[in-house]
Amino acid sequence: MKTRTARIRTAWAGALLATAAAFLAGPGATAAQASWGGELQQCKNQYGSEHYMGWDIPTVVLGKGSGGVCVRELQLELLEVGAVPAQDVPGFVDGIFGTKTYNAVVAFQRRVAIQGGADGIVGRYTWHSLIAHVYFE
């Protein structure tokens, strides 16, 4: 169960999104945060995005066999939230949605009790949770 503070942060996330890009480019930005204007934007440009709960979320649905810039962004965010076991970290960000990425997605989905259950498929709810955890937790 989220704390009151976490719920408040989530509620205000939409309002903060407009200023987040400038902030994230500054010193001290993590690797996943620094990619905000890069790979995540490329993914949204290539596949589109939808406005969901105050955020622009990629509309691409990812699963085993997917590849490309959207999978690289997903992998960076999974690393950032600590969903990747230490033994899988070397070479994890390769842009290919394989077994290691699937296992990390399921681990993250279980940890945040994603709506619809931990199915290893990255859709609206998983994208939203990942972005919220990387940028505002």
Side-chain angles (χ1 to χ4, degrees), residues 19-85:
T19 57
F23 169 75
L24 296 175
T30 64
Q33 290 170 336
S35 76
W36 174 263
E39 292 186 12
L40 184 60
Q41 191 58 47
Q42 288 176 18
C43 179
K44 290 191 295 187
N45 289 344
Q46 187 174 356
Y47 293 98
S49 62
E50 66 176 345
H51 196 69
Y52 175 71
M53 293 181 66
W55 303 58
D56 284 327
I57 304 297
T59 55
V60 64
V61 176
L62 302 174
K64 275 192 166 183
S66 298
V69 69
C70 295
V71 174
R72 280 186 52 80
E73 177 60 29
L74 168 68
Q75 291 168 331
L76 285 168
E77 291 184 10
L78 289 168
L79 280 171
E80 185 71 21
V81 298
V84 182

Side-chain angles (χ1 to χ4, degrees), residues 44-136:
K44 290 191 295 187
N45 289 344
Q46 187 174 356
Y47 293 98
S49 62
E50 66 176 345
H51 196 69
Y52 175 71
M53 293 181 66
W55 303 58
D56 284 327
I57 304 297
T59 55
V60 64
V61 176
L62 302 174
K64 275 192 166 183
S66 298
V69 69
C70 295
V71 174
R72 280 186 52 80
E73 177 60 29
L74 168 68
Q75 291 168 331
L76 285 168
E77 291 184 10
L78 289 168
L79 280 171
E80 185 71 21
V81 298
V84 182
Q87 69 269 17
D88 290 345
V89 171
F92 181 73
V93 180
D94 60 4
I96 300 167
F97 197 124
T99 303
K100 291 178 181 181
T101 303
Y102 174 84
N103 292 338
V105 168
V106 169
F108 175 75
Q109 290 173 329
R110 285 184 180 141
R111 189 172 79 205
V112 299
I114 203 79
Q115 183 174 341
D119 58 4
I121 297 171
V122 181
R124 169 190 287 168
Y125 302 120
T126 304
W127 276 120
H128 184 268
S129 292
L130 271 171
I131 291 170
H133 278 82
V134 169
Y135 300 104
F136 295 101

Side-chain angles (χ1 to χ4, degrees), residues 1 13 65 85:
M1 176 173 258

